[in-house]
Amino acid sequence: MSDKPLEGIKIIDFTHVQAGPACTQLLAWFGADVIKVERPGSGDVTRSQLRDVPGADALYFTMLNSNKRSLTLDTKTPAGKEVLTKLIKESDILVENFGPGALDRMGFTWEHIKELNPGMIVASVKGFSDGHHYEDLKVYENVAQCAGGAASTSGFWDGPPTVSGAALGDSNTGMHLAIGILTALHQRNKTGKGQKVAVSMQDSVLNLCRVKLRDQQRLDKVGYLEEYPQYPHGKFTDVVPRGGNAGGGGQPGWVLKCKGWETDPNAYIYFTIQGHAWAPICKALGKPEWIEDPAYKTAEARQDKIFDIFAFIEEWLSDKTKFEAVDILRKFDIPCSPVLSMKEIAADPSLRASGTIVEVDHKQRGKYLTVGSPIKFSDLKVEITGSPLLGEHTDEVLAQLGYNAEQIKEMHAARAV
Ligand code: CAO
């Protein structure tokens, strides 16, 4: 008996770029047999995008396709269609993130797939949901961030809408899709029936921006948002403004300069003024007189001078590195963190020890770093293996489908695989 929860689940991974591959990679980590289906000759475009080692699969590909097998298949050829049909009959899940209508044009509509295998779960990522007035659009990460409300609410009020470095449109959508797939799988265990699971990138971004829709409705009602830097000195219009680095909830916070900020772009901490932690904050800052001072005692009283308070904290921080500052503030139970660069994260011993940053071996590249499972289990140790080379498992998968050596040779000759 295997200790991998998804062992025995076979997934046709018809995904590319980031949104779909992030989803199927997660399921592969947890034990599913994920067969990545790619076009012969070229494969997933990320294999060759942003290459750092000539001729080798790019990190963009390797970091999103670990623990999978790779089958090359031209699904527009008759032989390719036959192989895909066989695969559908014996798989549990098909995941795709093609442009709108591509799977239908290939001849594999939901109705047809359902006929071939009534237990099949077909999971799709699209830019916009079915029936949306933009449903025909092709979409990438930043397009989704703009459509989902993230861009209009990120950045500074005197600058343009700004996209996040976090993949809110891509990997986030993939994570939503994984939840949908596992839900459909659970349902299938009860009914024996598969179903179609669809997630749009716009919806997934919006799901993470729900506090901004909260703010829009508050703004409509009262005309201001007290936790935004625009309050009480600035002006509000009728749309949620960009709030810079303000805390999104009821706890004011800001990114503050530490020692060395003049030359180090990441010499900052995030500092949160948690309401009930006001007394420890004052003690940490050497300002005990603020604890009972009516001008500072309550969150309301502090609101109109919150940036003066942040300026005072920056002065306190001026002779401390971001790490020294956090080491002091943590003793006072103050929610805070150094602003960590990717270089610092890559070398972080705790992230290495927990398996969140892992070093993986790759046949062409040698060792590279990737992000391991952010989900930890008491009964599963997630092991990350290198991503497959293009078509590495083609013959193996075809043989498992019942093709003999001669037939496989013919398919290669016809460039169907
Ligand atoms: N064999 C034969 N044909 C194949 C194939 C295979 N193995 N794999 C893909 N194709 C074909 C598709 O059938 C499609 O053909 P037609 O358009 O002629 O019917 C064609 O390749 C192009 O597919 P595409 O539309 O998915 O690719 P694109 O590069 O033009 O667009 C993207 C890329 C990402 C914009 C688009 O796929 C998309 O909008 N996907 C949905 C949203 C999404 O996931 N975006 C996030 C990507 S991560 O940033």
Side-chain angles (χ1 to χ4, degrees):
M1 184 71 184
S2 156
D3 58 354
K4 293 196 177 152
L6 297 184
E7 185 114 346
I9 299 293
K10 197 168 191 172
I11 301 182
I12 303 171
D13 180 15
F14 234 155
T15 70
H16 63 159
V17 202
Q18 185 176 164
C23 166
T24 48
Q25 173 171 259
L26 189 87
L27 301 173
W29 288 341
F30 302 158
D33 177 14
V34 175
I35 303 171
K36 176 136 183 145
V37 180
E38 297 176 84
R39 227 189 305 226
S42 50
D44 188 328
V45 67
T46 59
R47 284 188 186 269
S48 56
Q49 266 178 359
L50 313 175
R51 267 195 176 134
D52 58 322
V53 178
D57 286 335
L59 288 167
Y60 198 6
F61 180 85
T62 63
M63 292 178 74
L64 285 155
N65 291 285
S66 59
N67 298 52
K68 302 181 182 178
R69 297 197 282 167
S70 168
L71 161 73
T72 47
L73 196 63
D74 185 338
T75 53
K76 288 189 172 162
T77 63
K81 284 189 202 299
E82 186 193 283
V83 172
L84 184 58
T85 302
K86 280 187 189 230
L87 260 180
I88 288 173
K89 283 184 180 163
E90 61 171 59
S91 296
D92 302 279
I93 301 162
L94 183 152
V95 189
E96 63 94 16
N97 68 321
F98 293 127
L103 199 59
D104 293 357
R105 288 194 293 278
M106 233 178 245
F108 291 89
T109 60
W110 164 232
E111 285 67 30
H112 180 45
I113 294 174
K114 211 164 45 167
E115 258 171 40
L116 294 172
N117 179 353
M120 189 73 163
I121 292 162
V122 174
S124 299
V125 167
K126 296 287 166 268
F128 294 89
S129 57
D130 277 352
H132 190 285
H133 55 272
Y134 286 150
E135 71 173 352
D136 56 321
L137 277 176
K138 289 188 174 182
V139 169
Y140 283 106
E141 173 68 56
N142 293 343
V143 178
Q145 290 202 28
C146 290
S152 72
T153 53
S154 299
F156 282 80
W157 45 91
D158 52 356
T162 304
V163 295
S164 166
L168 305 177
D170 282 341
S171 280
N172 168 45
T173 305
M175 299 306 105
H176 278 81
L177 192 68
I179 295 167
I181 289 171
L182 295 174
T183 304
L185 204 54
H186 185 64
Q187 173 89 338
R188 195 188 72 173
N189 288 340
K190 293 191 274 185
T191 64
K193 264 178 59 186
Q195 62 181 305
K196 199 167 180 301
V197 180
V199 179
S200 90
M201 294 169 75
Q202 181 191 36
D203 293 356
S204 301
V205 173
L206 178 58
N207 191 30
L208 298 195
C209 291
R210 65 176 54 228
V211 294
K212 299 297 176 181
L213 186 56
R214 171 201 70 189
D215 294 349
Q216 184 61 53
Q217 295 174 83
R218 291 167 57 221
L219 186 66
D220 292 343
K221 273 229 164 64
V222 298
Y224 63 89
L225 299 164
E226 66 264 28
E227 76 280 23
Y228 281 62
Q230 291 81 353
Y231 180 85
H233 308 296
K235 276 205 162 57
F236 286 90
T237 67
D238 62 350
V239 299
V240 173
R242 291 186 268 288
N245 289 315
Q251 322 291 347
W254 203 253
V255 166
L256 301 178
K257 290 170 188 157
C258 294
K259 184 176 158 188
W261 68 272
E262 298 89 341
T263 50
D264 176 355
N266 295 305
Y268 292 82
I269 61 167
Y270 198 87
F271 191 100
T272 311
I273 302 185
Q274 208 185 1
H276 68 263
W278 180 241
I281 288 171
C282 296
K283 284 182 197 154
L285 299 176
K287 273 284 194 188
E289 64 273 24
W290 277 357
I291 298 176
E292 289 304 328
D293 185 339
Y296 288 91
K297 196 173 173 192
T298 64
E300 293 71 38
R302 292 191 290 272
Q303 195 64 54
D304 67 340
K305 40 188 142 348
I306 201 80
F307 279 95
D308 299 331
I309 296 172
F310 287 139
F312 178 83
I313 304 173
E314 275 193 339
E315 227 177 279
W316 180 83
L317 289 166
S318 62
D319 62 349
K320 299 167 188 71
T321 68
K322 59 185 178 184
F323 297 111
E324 288 165 353
V326 168
D327 275 343
I328 297 171
L329 297 172
R330 69 198 294 191
K331 296 195 183 88
F332 292 86
D333 221 10
I334 296 168
C336 62
S337 171
V339 172
L340 296 175
S341 69
M342 273 300 147
K343 198 177 172 77
E344 287 160 341
I345 285 173
D348 187 314
S350 295
L351 293 176
R352 296 289 184 115
S354 68
T356 299
I357 296 281
V358 283
E359 200 170 69
V360 184
D361 234 338
H362 185 266
K363 292 184 185 75
Q364 292 170 328
R365 313 181 47 90
K367 293 202 184 302
Y368 66 96
L369 285 187
T370 191
V371 183
S373 174
I375 305 168
K376 316 292 183 199
F377 300 87
S378 61
D379 286 347
L380 171 69
K381 185 172 176 342
V382 178
E383 273 160 30
I384 314 293
T385 60
S387 60
L389 300 179
L390 180 62
E392 185 177 340
H393 305 94
T394 299
D395 292 1
E396 177 185 296
V397 173
L398 293 175
Q400 283 168 354
L401 285 174
Y403 290 99
N404 64 34
E406 191 57 34
Q407 290 168 316
I408 294 173
K409 213 168 134 191
E410 275 169 23
M411 277 193 259
H412 277 290
R415 295 180 192 278
V417 298

